Amino acid sequence: MDVVSEPSATGTAARPRPEAHRVRAEIDLAALRANVRALRERAAGTGAGLMAVVKADAYGHGMVPCARAARRAGADWLGTATPEEALALRAAGDRGRLLCWLWTPGGPWREAIEADVDVSASDPWALGEITAAARARGRTARVHLKADTGLGRGGCQPAGWEALTAAARAAEAEGTVKVTGVWSHFACADEPGHPSIAAQLAAFREALATAARAGLDPEVRHIANSPATLTLPEAHFDLVRTGVSVYGLSPSPEVGVPADFGLRPVMTLRARLALVKRVPAGHGVSYGHHYTTPGETTLALVPAGYADGVPRHASGGGPVLVAGKWRTVAGRVAMDQFVVDLGGDAAAEGDEAVLFGPGDAGEPTAEDWARAVGTIGYEIVTRIGARVPRVHLNAEA
């Protein structure tokens, strides 16, 4: 079963057939399920459960269909950044264990507690708002305490950790809170052998010991992200949090390529040529004329641009498969379109251009785009815009 997900101004507009789309992102849910099973097997080898992270619209792949596919493949938990994401999953019918970690003061704590969402606290202000919301709702909040073991982003610094764990234990005694998790996040797990990895593991073990001394007995202890899941079994503890690897991308070239771990890229970005035309030598192409044709040639117009998530800094370098060959973007990427130079090759309006995919048919991958523009695969898939329909393939009924 295939499902097309795309925005509509009225909610009632007819959806074009997938083959008629200007540009579309095909999401292979069978590949996603296989990735989750492969990651789950790797985690099970150390006795850990698996969290599939579906934040940022499942890294641009479509949150609800991907969350359902991950659950069906055995994901024990789902993870989101924002409470709005978590509540949207609950509204869509998800009832499994679900962690949400990116909170600001005044957030929808009450709604999250009512929806049985596990929430995260890195500081006494958050724990205070959680306990107040729990009292107001007459329910016990499930809380994961986050320790900053060296990333320097979210999480409680070691100097404040003893006080935070003691306050959490007091809230447990009151019945407003149950500490279900203690967690942290690596800074450099995508750089195997980096000295910070061992330092953070030691700091995390010390944070766990401090929590135990405070009387806390969390259900899950977790620090492993995708790269740590793939390369650091000693970091698995009770739960691993897999994000980009769920979608078949490698966390970094240093860790390895997806096939090394039995993973397959889930997203394929396709477009249909909008125009094909012959132009003379010396013809300028796109804004600024940063590319001029070296001879008489054929230009093809790909109707996707930076409003769709094609990086503008891919101008002159982004790879795309057209007419059976790799081409590169000729000139500037515009808001809605870019051009490729076909040389002496033939193509026609409506022919397919594949920006990236698994690479099975010789097309570029998201990693190829990342290398071309000096970024990471995460950004390439996550930035695909909302006006690009997601066509979810191989959905289970």
mmCIF file of all heavy atoms in Angstrom, residues 177-224:
data_model
loop_
_atom_site.group_PDB
_atom_site.id
_atom_site.type_symbol
_atom_site.label_atom_id
_atom_site.label_comp_id
_atom_site.label_asym_id
_atom_site.label_seq_id
_atom_site.Cartn_x
_atom_site.Cartn_y
_atom_site.Cartn_z
ATOM 1 N N VAL A 177 6.247 12.415 40.724
ATOM 2 C CA VAL A 177 7.218 12.077 39.688
ATOM 3 C C VAL A 177 7.669 10.634 39.856
ATOM 4 O O VAL A 177 7.783 10.125 40.976
ATOM 5 C CB VAL A 177 8.444 13.028 39.790
ATOM 6 C CG1 VAL A 177 9.679 12.444 39.138
ATOM 7 C CG2 VAL A 177 8.123 14.376 39.161
ATOM 8 N N LYS A 178 7.921 9.978 38.743
ATOM 9 C CA LYS A 178 8.660 8.723 38.723
ATOM 10 C C LYS A 178 9.812 8.904 37.753
ATOM 11 O O LYS A 178 9.602 9.200 36.566
ATOM 12 C CB LYS A 178 7.761 7.566 38.271
ATOM 13 C CG LYS A 178 8.508 6.255 38.017
ATOM 14 C CD LYS A 178 9.265 5.771 39.236
ATOM 15 C CE LYS A 178 10.049 4.487 38.936
ATOM 16 N NZ LYS A 178 10.988 4.160 40.032
ATOM 17 N N VAL A 179 11.037 8.759 38.246
ATOM 18 C CA VAL A 179 12.203 8.877 37.380
ATOM 19 C C VAL A 179 12.350 7.563 36.615
ATOM 20 O O VAL A 179 12.783 6.548 37.170
ATOM 21 C CB VAL A 179 13.475 9.209 38.173
ATOM 22 C CG1 VAL A 179 14.699 9.218 37.247
ATOM 23 C CG2 VAL A 179 13.329 10.572 38.848
ATOM 24 N N THR A 180 11.969 7.609 35.355
ATOM 25 C CA THR A 180 12.003 6.406 34.519
ATOM 26 C C THR A 180 13.277 6.298 33.699
ATOM 27 O O THR A 180 13.542 5.247 33.115
ATOM 28 C CB THR A 180 10.794 6.388 33.565
ATOM 29 O OG1 THR A 180 10.712 7.642 32.882
ATOM 30 C CG2 THR A 180 9.496 6.159 34.336
ATOM 31 N N GLY A 181 14.044 7.377 33.631
ATOM 32 C CA GLY A 181 15.266 7.326 32.854
ATOM 33 C C GLY A 181 16.319 8.294 33.350
ATOM 34 O O GLY A 181 16.000 9.329 33.934
ATOM 35 N N VAL A 182 17.572 7.931 33.126
ATOM 36 C CA VAL A 182 18.716 8.839 33.281
ATOM 37 C C VAL A 182 19.495 8.732 31.979
ATOM 38 O O VAL A 182 19.783 7.635 31.500
ATOM 39 C CB VAL A 182 19.599 8.470 34.477
ATOM 40 C CG1 VAL A 182 20.875 9.319 34.487
ATOM 41 C CG2 VAL A 182 18.834 8.645 35.788
ATOM 42 N N TRP A 183 19.840 9.899 31.412
ATOM 43 C CA TRP A 183 20.408 9.858 30.066
ATOM 44 C C TRP A 183 21.395 10.970 29.812
ATOM 45 O O TRP A 183 21.515 11.912 30.605
ATOM 46 C CB TRP A 183 19.292 9.843 29.036
ATOM 47 C CG TRP A 183 18.513 11.131 28.838
ATOM 48 C CD1 TRP A 183 17.741 11.795 29.745
ATOM 49 C CD2 TRP A 183 18.424 11.875 27.623
ATOM 50 N NE1 TRP A 183 17.171 12.906 29.171
ATOM 51 C CE2 TRP A 183 17.555 12.977 27.868
ATOM 52 C CE3 TRP A 183 18.958 11.722 26.349
ATOM 53 C CZ2 TRP A 183 17.249 13.920 26.878
ATOM 54 C CZ3 TRP A 183 18.645 12.652 25.370
ATOM 55 C CH2 TRP A 183 17.793 13.739 25.638
ATOM 56 N N SER A 184 22.098 10.837 28.690
ATOM 57 C CA SER A 184 23.031 11.860 28.245
ATOM 58 C C SER A 184 23.212 11.695 26.742
ATOM 59 O O SER A 184 22.543 10.872 26.112
ATOM 60 C CB SER A 184 24.365 11.741 28.988
ATOM 61 O OG SER A 184 25.191 12.870 28.732
ATOM 62 N N HIS A 185 24.124 12.487 26.170
ATOM 63 C CA HIS A 185 24.308 12.467 24.712
ATOM 64 C C HIS A 185 25.776 12.685 24.387
ATOM 65 O O HIS A 185 26.430 13.540 24.979
ATOM 66 C CB HIS A 185 23.457 13.569 24.075
ATOM 67 C CG HIS A 185 23.265 13.410 22.594
ATOM 68 N ND1 HIS A 185 22.583 12.364 22.040
ATOM 69 C CD2 HIS A 185 23.669 14.183 21.554
ATOM 70 C CE1 HIS A 185 22.553 12.494 20.721
ATOM 71 N NE2 HIS A 185 23.228 13.588 20.398
ATOM 72 N N PHE A 186 26.271 11.895 23.422
ATOM 73 C CA PHE A 186 27.669 12.002 23.023
ATOM 74 C C PHE A 186 27.918 13.221 22.145
ATOM 75 O O PHE A 186 27.059 13.634 21.360
ATOM 76 C CB PHE A 186 28.094 10.757 22.242
ATOM 77 C CG PHE A 186 28.413 9.565 23.097
ATOM 78 C CD1 PHE A 186 27.634 8.412 23.030
ATOM 79 C CD2 PHE A 186 29.501 9.573 23.961
ATOM 80 C CE1 PHE A 186 27.938 7.306 23.797
ATOM 81 C CE2 PHE A 186 29.814 8.467 24.734
ATOM 82 C CZ PHE A 186 29.024 7.329 24.651
ATOM 83 N N ALA A 187 29.132 13.731 22.256
ATOM 84 C CA ALA A 187 29.560 14.840 21.398
ATOM 85 C C ALA A 187 30.257 14.352 20.134
ATOM 86 O O ALA A 187 30.096 14.936 19.059
ATOM 87 C CB ALA A 187 30.496 15.766 22.172
ATOM 88 N N CYS A 188 31.045 13.269 20.243
ATOM 89 C CA CYS A 188 31.939 12.875 19.145
ATOM 90 C C CYS A 188 31.905 11.374 18.873
ATOM 91 O O CYS A 188 32.900 10.799 18.419
ATOM 92 C CB CYS A 188 33.378 13.295 19.454
ATOM 93 S SG CYS A 188 33.595 15.062 19.774
ATOM 94 N N ALA A 189 30.765 10.734 19.110
ATOM 95 C CA ALA A 189 30.693 9.295 18.845
ATOM 96 C C ALA A 189 30.824 8.977 17.366
ATOM 97 O O ALA A 189 31.111 7.834 16.994
ATOM 98 C CB ALA A 189 29.378 8.725 19.387
ATOM 99 N N ASP A 190 30.609 9.989 16.506
ATOM 100 C CA ASP A 190 30.779 9.772 15.065
ATOM 101 C C ASP A 190 32.243 9.905 14.635
ATOM 102 O O ASP A 190 32.534 9.853 13.440
ATOM 103 C CB ASP A 190 29.898 10.741 14.271
ATOM 104 C CG ASP A 190 30.162 12.202 14.612
ATOM 105 O OD1 ASP A 190 30.883 12.481 15.587
ATOM 106 O OD2 ASP A 190 29.619 13.072 13.901
ATOM 107 N N GLU A 191 33.147 10.052 15.598
ATOM 108 C CA GLU A 191 34.585 10.069 15.334
ATOM 109 C C GLU A 191 35.222 8.957 16.165
ATOM 110 O O GLU A 191 35.721 9.202 17.269
ATOM 111 C CB GLU A 191 35.196 11.421 15.704
ATOM 112 C CG GLU A 191 34.612 12.605 14.950
ATOM 113 C CD GLU A 191 35.204 13.927 15.402
ATOM 114 O OE1 GLU A 191 36.448 14.008 15.513
ATOM 115 O OE2 GLU A 191 34.434 14.865 15.665
ATOM 116 N N PRO A 192 35.184 7.712 15.686
ATOM 117 C CA PRO A 192 35.686 6.589 16.490
ATOM 118 C C PRO A 192 37.085 6.849 17.041
ATOM 119 O O PRO A 192 37.978 7.322 16.342
ATOM 120 C CB PRO A 192 35.687 5.430 15.484
ATOM 121 C CG PRO A 192 34.596 5.781 14.510
ATOM 122 C CD PRO A 192 34.677 7.274 14.364
ATOM 123 N N GLY A 193 37.234 6.559 18.341
ATOM 124 C CA GLY A 193 38.511 6.763 18.998
ATOM 125 C C GLY A 193 38.718 8.141 19.585
ATOM 126 O O GLY A 193 39.741 8.381 20.242
ATOM 127 N N HIS A 194 37.769 9.049 19.390
ATOM 128 C CA HIS A 194 37.928 10.390 19.946
ATOM 129 C C HIS A 194 38.010 10.302 21.476
ATOM 130 O O HIS A 194 37.222 9.589 22.108
ATOM 131 C CB HIS A 194 36.747 11.270 19.545
ATOM 132 C CG HIS A 194 36.976 12.728 19.773
ATOM 133 N ND1 HIS A 194 36.900 13.309 21.023
ATOM 134 C CD2 HIS A 194 37.317 13.738 18.908
ATOM 135 C CE1 HIS A 194 37.151 14.599 20.921
ATOM 136 N NE2 HIS A 194 37.404 14.884 19.664
ATOM 137 N N PRO A 195 38.957 11.005 22.101
ATOM 138 C CA PRO A 195 39.132 10.866 23.560
ATOM 139 C C PRO A 195 37.921 11.277 24.379
ATOM 140 O O PRO A 195 37.771 10.832 25.524
ATOM 141 C CB PRO A 195 40.338 11.760 23.856
ATOM 142 C CG PRO A 195 40.491 12.645 22.658
ATOM 143 C CD PRO A 195 39.980 11.876 21.496
ATOM 144 N N SER A 196 37.056 12.115 23.838
ATOM 145 C CA SER A 196 35.883 12.530 24.608
ATOM 146 C C SER A 196 34.911 11.380 24.844
ATOM 147 O O SER A 196 34.116 11.427 25.785
ATOM 148 C CB SER A 196 35.152 13.665 23.887
ATOM 149 O OG SER A 196 34.538 13.191 22.697
ATOM 150 N N ILE A 197 34.962 10.340 24.001
ATOM 151 C CA ILE A 197 34.008 9.236 24.145
ATOM 152 C C ILE A 197 34.214 8.523 25.473
ATOM 153 O O ILE A 197 33.271 8.323 26.253
ATOM 154 C CB ILE A 197 34.135 8.260 22.957
ATOM 155 C CG1 ILE A 197 33.764 8.965 21.651
ATOM 156 C CG2 ILE A 197 33.266 7.028 23.174
ATOM 157 C CD1 ILE A 197 34.074 8.153 20.400
ATOM 158 N N ALA A 198 35.445 8.125 25.755
ATOM 159 C CA ALA A 198 35.739 7.453 27.020
ATOM 160 C C ALA A 198 35.472 8.371 28.205
ATOM 161 O O ALA A 198 34.954 7.935 29.244
ATOM 162 C CB ALA A 198 37.191 6.970 27.043
ATOM 163 N N ALA A 199 35.799 9.655 28.052
ATOM 164 C CA ALA A 199 35.559 10.606 29.142
ATOM 165 C C ALA A 199 34.071 10.740 29.431
ATOM 166 O O ALA A 199 33.644 10.787 30.606
ATOM 167 C CB ALA A 199 36.161 11.962 28.786
ATOM 168 N N GLN A 200 33.249 10.786 28.383
ATOM 169 C CA GLN A 200 31.809 10.912 28.599
ATOM 170 C C GLN A 200 31.222 9.637 29.198
ATOM 171 O O GLN A 200 30.305 9.708 30.030
ATOM 172 C CB GLN A 200 31.099 11.262 27.291
ATOM 173 C CG GLN A 200 31.241 12.717 26.904
ATOM 174 C CD GLN A 200 30.200 13.144 25.871
ATOM 175 O OE1 GLN A 200 30.529 13.289 24.695
ATOM 176 N NE2 GLN A 200 28.965 13.321 26.302
ATOM 177 N N LEU A 201 31.709 8.475 28.782
ATOM 178 C CA LEU A 201 31.225 7.238 29.384
ATOM 179 C C LEU A 201 31.531 7.203 30.879
ATOM 180 O O LEU A 201 30.683 6.804 31.686
ATOM 181 C CB LEU A 201 31.849 6.031 28.685
ATOM 182 C CG LEU A 201 31.136 5.520 27.443
ATOM 183 C CD1 LEU A 201 31.961 4.442 26.752
ATOM 184 C CD2 LEU A 201 29.744 4.987 27.794
ATOM 185 N N ALA A 202 32.735 7.623 31.247
ATOM 186 C CA ALA A 202 33.092 7.658 32.669
ATOM 187 C C ALA A 202 32.207 8.645 33.428
ATOM 188 O O ALA A 202 31.738 8.354 34.539
ATOM 189 C CB ALA A 202 34.567 8.029 32.825
ATOM 190 N N ALA A 203 31.959 9.801 32.824
ATOM 191 C CA ALA A 203 31.108 10.800 33.483
ATOM 192 C C ALA A 203 29.676 10.293 33.608
ATOM 193 O O ALA A 203 28.997 10.565 34.620
ATOM 194 C CB ALA A 203 31.147 12.108 32.699
ATOM 195 N N PHE A 204 29.200 9.555 32.605
ATOM 196 C CA PHE A 204 27.838 9.029 32.671
ATOM 197 C C PHE A 204 27.719 7.975 33.774
ATOM 198 O O PHE A 204 26.739 7.958 34.531
ATOM 199 C CB PHE A 204 27.454 8.438 31.323
ATOM 200 C CG PHE A 204 26.011 8.010 31.231
ATOM 201 C CD1 PHE A 204 24.977 8.903 31.518
ATOM 202 C CD2 PHE A 204 25.674 6.716 30.860
ATOM 203 C CE1 PHE A 204 23.644 8.516 31.429
ATOM 204 C CE2 PHE A 204 24.346 6.317 30.768
ATOM 205 C CZ PHE A 204 23.325 7.218 31.057
ATOM 206 N N ARG A 205 28.706 7.120 33.886
ATOM 207 C CA ARG A 205 28.672 6.110 34.949
ATOM 208 C C ARG A 205 28.685 6.774 36.326
ATOM 209 O O ARG A 205 28.010 6.320 37.253
ATOM 210 C CB ARG A 205 29.843 5.144 34.789
ATOM 211 C CG ARG A 205 29.709 4.246 33.558
ATOM 212 C CD ARG A 205 30.759 3.140 33.551
ATOM 213 N NE ARG A 205 30.554 2.263 32.405
ATOM 214 C CZ ARG A 205 31.275 2.301 31.274
ATOM 215 N NH1 ARG A 205 32.249 3.207 31.155
ATOM 216 N NH2 ARG A 205 31.030 1.470 30.290
ATOM 217 N N GLU A 206 29.432 7.856 36.455
ATOM 218 C CA GLU A 206 29.437 8.577 37.727
ATOM 219 C C GLU A 206 28.079 9.223 37.993
ATOM 220 O O GLU A 206 27.588 9.234 39.124
ATOM 221 C CB GLU A 206 30.547 9.635 37.732
ATOM 222 C CG GLU A 206 30.616 10.469 39.008
ATOM 223 C CD GLU A 206 30.756 9.630 40.287
ATOM 224 O OE1 GLU A 206 31.450 8.600 40.254
ATOM 225 O OE2 GLU A 206 30.146 10.005 41.308
ATOM 226 N N ALA A 207 27.450 9.770 36.939
ATOM 227 C CA ALA A 207 26.115 10.354 37.104
ATOM 228 C C ALA A 207 25.112 9.293 37.534
ATOM 229 O O ALA A 207 24.229 9.541 38.374
ATOM 230 C CB ALA A 207 25.668 11.006 35.794
ATOM 231 N N LEU A 208 25.233 8.090 36.973
ATOM 232 C CA LEU A 208 24.341 6.993 37.367
ATOM 233 C C LEU A 208 24.575 6.611 38.828
ATOM 234 O O LEU A 208 23.614 6.340 39.569
ATOM 235 C CB LEU A 208 24.567 5.785 36.465
ATOM 236 C CG LEU A 208 24.150 5.943 34.993
ATOM 237 C CD1 LEU A 208 24.599 4.741 34.186
ATOM 238 C CD2 LEU A 208 22.633 6.126 34.888
ATOM 239 N N ALA A 209 25.834 6.589 39.239
ATOM 240 C CA ALA A 209 26.137 6.253 40.630
ATOM 241 C C ALA A 209 25.569 7.300 41.579
ATOM 242 O O ALA A 209 25.014 6.969 42.654
ATOM 243 C CB ALA A 209 27.651 6.133 40.810
ATOM 244 N N THR A 210 25.665 8.561 41.212
ATOM 245 C CA THR A 210 25.091 9.629 42.044
ATOM 246 C C THR A 210 23.579 9.483 42.135
ATOM 247 O O THR A 210 22.994 9.647 43.228
ATOM 248 C CB THR A 210 25.457 11.005 41.458
ATOM 249 O OG1 THR A 210 26.874 11.147 41.436
ATOM 250 C CG2 THR A 210 24.839 12.133 42.267
ATOM 251 N N ALA A 211 22.924 9.166 41.019
ATOM 252 C CA ALA A 211 21.471 8.959 41.032
ATOM 253 C C ALA A 211 21.098 7.793 41.932
ATOM 254 O O ALA A 211 20.104 7.850 42.682
ATOM 255 C CB ALA A 211 20.974 8.727 39.613
ATOM 256 N N ALA A 212 21.900 6.733 41.892
ATOM 257 C CA ALA A 212 21.616 5.575 42.750
ATOM 258 C C ALA A 212 21.781 5.944 44.217
ATOM 259 O O ALA A 212 20.969 5.522 45.060
ATOM 260 C CB ALA A 212 22.538 4.424 42.372
ATOM 261 N N ARG A 213 22.803 6.721 44.532
ATOM 262 C CA ARG A 213 22.997 7.141 45.923
ATOM 263 C C ARG A 213 21.832 7.997 46.408
ATOM 264 O O ARG A 213 21.500 8.005 47.606
ATOM 265 C CB ARG A 213 24.313 7.901 46.069
ATOM 266 C CG ARG A 213 25.547 7.024 45.980
ATOM 267 C CD ARG A 213 26.796 7.753 46.436
ATOM 268 N NE ARG A 213 27.150 8.867 45.570
ATOM 269 C CZ ARG A 213 27.959 8.760 44.503
ATOM 270 N NH1 ARG A 213 28.459 7.573 44.168
ATOM 271 N NH2 ARG A 213 28.244 9.824 43.775
ATOM 272 N N ALA A 214 21.202 8.717 45.478
ATOM 273 C CA ALA A 214 20.038 9.528 45.857
ATOM 274 C C ALA A 214 18.790 8.672 46.045
ATOM 275 O O ALA A 214 17.760 9.184 46.507
ATOM 276 C CB ALA A 214 19.778 10.584 44.791
ATOM 277 N N GLY A 215 18.865 7.386 45.694
ATOM 278 C CA GLY A 215 17.718 6.497 45.854
ATOM 279 C C GLY A 215 16.914 6.302 44.593
ATOM 280 O O GLY A 215 15.812 5.725 44.641
ATOM 281 N N LEU A 216 17.426 6.742 43.447
ATOM 282 C CA LEU A 216 16.692 6.612 42.186
ATOM 283 C C LEU A 216 17.010 5.268 41.526
ATOM 284 O O LEU A 216 18.151 4.800 41.548
ATOM 285 C CB LEU A 216 17.060 7.752 41.236
ATOM 286 C CG LEU A 216 16.737 9.166 41.720
ATOM 287 C CD1 LEU A 216 17.246 10.203 40.717
ATOM 288 C CD2 LEU A 216 15.236 9.344 41.951
ATOM 289 N N ASP A 217 16.011 4.668 40.939
ATOM 290 C CA ASP A 217 16.166 3.386 40.255
ATOM 291 C C ASP A 217 15.494 3.484 38.887
ATOM 292 O O ASP A 217 14.374 3.001 38.686
ATOM 293 C CB ASP A 217 15.538 2.265 41.081
ATOM 294 C CG ASP A 217 15.738 0.897 40.441
ATOM 295 O OD1 ASP A 217 16.658 0.753 39.621
ATOM 296 O OD2 ASP A 217 14.947 -0.028 40.751
ATOM 297 N N PRO A 218 16.141 4.131 37.902
ATOM 298 C CA PRO A 218 15.493 4.367 36.612
ATOM 299 C C PRO A 218 15.251 3.072 35.842
ATOM 300 O O PRO A 218 16.003 2.107 35.957
ATOM 301 C CB PRO A 218 16.488 5.265 35.870
ATOM 302 C CG PRO A 218 17.812 4.947 36.498
ATOM 303 C CD PRO A 218 17.512 4.675 37.940
ATOM 304 N N GLU A 219 14.222 3.102 35.053
ATOM 305 C CA GLU A 219 13.891 1.968 34.192
ATOM 306 C C GLU A 219 14.925 1.805 33.080
ATOM 307 O O GLU A 219 15.308 0.676 32.737
ATOM 308 C CB GLU A 219 12.500 2.205 33.595
ATOM 309 C CG GLU A 219 12.029 1.182 32.597
ATOM 310 C CD GLU A 219 10.690 1.570 31.975
ATOM 311 O OE1 GLU A 219 9.989 2.441 32.547
ATOM 312 O OE2 GLU A 219 10.365 1.020 30.922
ATOM 313 N N VAL A 220 15.346 2.934 32.492
ATOM 314 C CA VAL A 220 16.307 2.881 31.395
ATOM 315 C C VAL A 220 17.401 3.922 31.592
ATOM 316 O O VAL A 220 17.154 5.041 32.018
ATOM 317 C CB VAL A 220 15.633 3.106 30.016
ATOM 318 C CG1 VAL A 220 14.794 1.904 29.617
ATOM 319 C CG2 VAL A 220 14.788 4.373 29.984
ATOM 320 N N ARG A 221 18.615 3.490 31.265
ATOM 321 C CA ARG A 221 19.778 4.378 31.243
ATOM 322 C C ARG A 221 20.233 4.405 29.790
ATOM 323 O O ARG A 221 20.421 3.347 29.171
ATOM 324 C CB ARG A 221 20.875 3.829 32.145
ATOM 325 C CG ARG A 221 20.448 3.597 33.597
ATOM 326 C CD ARG A 221 21.378 2.610 34.291
ATOM 327 N NE ARG A 221 21.363 1.309 33.614
ATOM 328 C CZ ARG A 221 22.363 0.407 33.700
ATOM 329 N NH1 ARG A 221 23.451 0.679 34.411
ATOM 330 N NH2 ARG A 221 22.271 -0.747 33.076
ATOM 331 N N HIS A 222 20.435 5.607 29.238
ATOM 332 C CA HIS A 222 20.762 5.660 27.817
ATOM 333 C C HIS A 222 21.632 6.860 27.471
ATOM 334 O O HIS A 222 21.398 7.967 27.939
ATOM 335 C CB HIS A 222 19.489 5.634 26.961
ATOM 336 C CG HIS A 222 18.430 6.634 27.304
ATOM 337 N ND1 HIS A 222 18.125 7.712 26.511
ATOM 338 C CD2 HIS A 222 17.564 6.710 28.359
ATOM 339 C CE1 HIS A 222 17.120 8.400 27.047
ATOM 340 N NE2 HIS A 222 16.768 7.817 28.173
ATOM 341 N N ILE A 223 22.627 6.568 26.624
ATOM 342 C CA ILE A 223 23.533 7.595 26.118
ATOM 343 C C ILE A 223 23.854 7.371 24.646
ATOM 344 O O ILE A 223 24.273 8.305 23.950
ATOM 345 C CB ILE A 223 24.843 7.639 26.954
ATOM 346 C CG1 ILE A 223 25.720 8.845 26.551
ATOM 347 C CG2 ILE A 223 25.609 6.335 26.873
ATOM 348 C CD1 ILE A 223 26.936 9.055 27.440
ATOM 349 N N ALA A 224 23.618 6.184 24.122
ATOM 350 C CA ALA A 224 24.049 5.826 22.771
ATOM 351 C C ALA A 224 23.130 6.402 21.709
ATOM 352 O O ALA A 224 21.938 6.109 21.673
ATOM 353 C CB ALA A 224 24.115 4.314 22.618
#
